[in-house]
């Protein structure tokens, strides 16, 4: 076999399949919990993710549209629409960036912050409840064989 050909992947062991399946199950349970919880509070899952991305943005309390597009893994125009809807609900606001007139800052409002604090505490509690089902899967070291 030449070095340019892809190598066959090393098959997973039964234990690795179980670990991977448990992790996937935990993620799915968490995501279902998240979707149901935010909807019961009048938000879409994307709005919650937007607010979380803003509050959790490294080093500051705001983000530009292009940064949000990257964080949310969405196209720029989709983020603009998402911000428009969240702004109409009073969750976020736009502000001019004093150091760069081309940049629009998106930041949480006090209502958005309060909503995020409540929802995020519920998410934290659910993650603690899920415990080991959400831990990263453990894979055997193929060099041990």
């Amino acid at each position: 076999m030449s070095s340019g050909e892809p190598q066959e992947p090393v098959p997973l062991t039964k234990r690795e399949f179980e670990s991977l399946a448990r992790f996937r199950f935990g993620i799915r349970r968490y995501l279902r919990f998240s979707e149901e919880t935010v909807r019961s509070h009048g938000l879409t899952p994307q709005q919650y993710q937007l607010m979380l991305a803003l509050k959790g943005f490294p080093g500051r309390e705001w983000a530009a549209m292009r940064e949000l597009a990257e964080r949310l893994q969405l196209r720029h125009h989709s983020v603009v629409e998402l911000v428009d809807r969240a702004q109409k609900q009073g969750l976020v606001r736009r502000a001019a960036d004093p150091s760069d007139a081309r940049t629009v800052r998106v930041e949480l409002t006090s209502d958005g912050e309060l909503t995020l604090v409540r929802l995020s505490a519920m998410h934290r509690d659910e993650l603690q409840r899920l415990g080991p089902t959400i831990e990263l899967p453990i894979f055997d070291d193929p060099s041990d064989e």
Side-chain angles (χ1 to χ4, degrees):
M1 179 190 314
S2 73
S3 62
E5 293 180 31
Q7 290 185 309
E8 282 295 314
V10 176
L12 278 70
T13 65
K14 173 67 171 151
R15 185 174 69 158
E16 289 174 325
F17 275 115
E18 290 172 3
S19 181
L20 190 57
R22 182 175 50 252
F23 176 66
R24 178 66 179 88
F25 173 64
I27 289 172
R28 187 60 214 129
R29 282 181 59 188
Y30 175 73
L31 290 174
R32 189 189 75 228
F33 162 84
S34 180
E35 291 162 3
E36 291 173 356
T37 300
V38 299
R39 283 193 174 107
S40 73
H41 286 79
L43 301 176
T44 66
Q46 294 80 12
Q47 287 172 320
Y48 173 69
Q49 291 169 22
L50 169 66
M51 294 189 306
L52 185 58
L54 287 168
K55 186 67 177 175
F57 199 85
R60 59 181 195 247
E61 296 289 321
W62 61 271
M65 293 287 186
R66 64 180 159 66
E67 294 168 328
L68 290 170
E70 172 64 26
R71 288 285 170 147
L72 298 172
Q73 292 294 286
L74 295 171
R75 290 196 166 106
H76 185 273
H77 71 274
S78 297
V79 173
V80 171
E81 292 171 10
L82 179 59
V83 168
D84 285 345
R85 290 191 306 271
Q87 190 169 12
K88 285 178 185 166
Q89 283 188 262
L91 302 170
V92 302
R93 70 177 153 262
R94 288 177 169 94
D97 186 331
S99 62
D100 182 356
R102 298 168 298 171
T103 301
V104 175
R105 294 180 175 190
V106 181
E107 50 195 38
L108 289 172
T109 62
S110 56
D111 285 348
E113 179 108 19
L114 184 57
T115 300
L116 179 64
V117 165
R118 288 180 182 143
L119 288 171
S120 294
M122 296 167 80
H123 281 75
R124 177 200 56 215
D125 295 347
E126 179 66 6
L127 281 170
Q128 289 173 332
R129 192 183 69 71
L130 285 172
T133 61
I134 203 81
E135 290 176 3
L136 288 175
I138 298 169
F139 297 103
D140 296 331
D141 185 352
S143 64
D144 290 345
E145 296 175 7

